[in-house]
Structure formats: C-alpha cells, structure tokens
Amino acid sequence: MYHHSGNVAHPAAGSATGLLEPQGRDPEALYFQRCGWCGTAMYQRLLCPVCRGSELRTERSEGVGTVRHSTVVHRNTPAARNVSLVEMSEGFIVRGRVMGPPIGIHSGDRVRLSTAKDPVRAEPVFQLLDEPLRAWS
C-alpha cells in the first residue's frame, strides 16, 4: 500500500498555547492540568510526567500553597527579588514570586495567589497567609 508522506509542510491544526490557555477563562486565576489516565496534577505540560498520557484536562486552582524552596536573586533586576517553588494544594509545583522581603520567605510558609501573571516576568505572584514570627530565629 502506498502512503504519501513527502516533505510537504502541513499547517498545525491548533497551537499548544491554545491548549494551555483557553479563551474565556479568568486571567487572575491559576490553571493547571490533570492527567485523565493517572490523575497526576501538573503545571503547563503537554504530556503527563508520570504516565506520558496526553489526555490532560484543565482545572482551576484554589490558589493556596506552601513554599517548598525560596532563593534571593540579584541578577538582571534593579533590586533583589525572591524566586520560590510553591507546592499548591492540588499537588502541582509552580515557580513564582512571594511578596515581602526576599530574605523573609522560608520553606514551609503558607501562601495564597495574589495574581496569576506578574506584568514584568509573567509568573504567578503570591502573598503570605500568616505573617511569620521569626524575630528570635
């Protein structure tokens, strides 16, 4: 049987960006994907990192999480800023910024989403839920 594949470029039916950022969604909310096969939650992926499944459904996050790692960055910024990995209550991890003094953000701090996209870096911005009492540590 003859199958014509050739070297002809075919236009894509849709874009990956359209899959991750559907139209008509709240721009201030944080959306993630959940695998239809194994139920793994992930942030901005095209395939499931566990089972490699491609049936991902988009869900809205509650916006509450816990800082897992935070570091202070001085490069390419006029002032120091923090970069944090936040584990959301749904089980996925997202990189973002936590508002507050950069050295005052620690692993284990509870945070809530403030805005889904920072206008400068296009990453989520979080605020501390409980003001930490670290004067004696």
Side-chain angles (χ1 to χ4, degrees), residues 11-23 31-33 43-47 54 56-58 117:
S15 70
T17 307
L19 294 174
L20 296 176
E21 297 176 9
Q23 300 297 326
Y31 291 93
F32 66 100
Q33 291 81 31
Y43 184 67
Q44 294 187 348
R45 301 290 296 258
L46 295 176
L47 294 175
S54 61
L56 306 179
R57 64 181 181 270
T58 302
K117 291 210 178 191

Side-chain angles (χ1 to χ4, degrees), residues 12 36 91 98 102:
V98 179

Side-chain angles (χ1 to χ4, degrees), residues 8-53:
V8 179
H10 298 284
S15 70
T17 307
L19 294 174
L20 296 176
E21 297 176 9
Q23 300 297 326
R25 303 254 174 158
D26 182 8
E28 291 301 316
L30 188 63
Y31 291 93
F32 66 100
Q33 291 81 31
R34 187 172 304 276
C35 180
W37 286 94
C38 68
T40 301
M42 67 215 79
Y43 184 67
Q44 294 187 348
R45 301 290 296 258
L46 295 176
L47 294 175
C48 175
V50 175
C51 71
R52 303 288 186 228

Side-chain angles (χ1 to χ4, degrees), residues 66-137:
T66 304
V67 175
R68 288 296 168 219
H69 178 74
S70 185
T71 187
V72 179
V73 177
H74 298 276
R75 182 182 43 176
N76 297 332
T77 61
R81 65 182 179 90
N82 76 353
V83 176
S84 299
L85 293 177
V86 177
E87 183 177 354
M88 303 304 290
S89 61
E90 293 84 6
F92 67 96
I93 295 178
V94 62
R95 177 184 160 191
R97 180 173 60 88
V98 179
M99 292 187 295
I103 63 169
I105 311 301
H106 301 282
S107 295
D109 288 345
R110 293 175 9 105
V111 294
R112 176 176 297 283
L113 182 69
S114 177
T115 181
K117 291 210 178 191
D118 181 20
V120 176
R121 302 211 180 268
E123 62 187 10
V125 178
F126 298 91
Q127 61 186 7
L128 290 171
L129 276 178
D130 306 317
E131 246 348 277
L133 300 174
R134 303 196 191 275
W136 300 104
S137 50

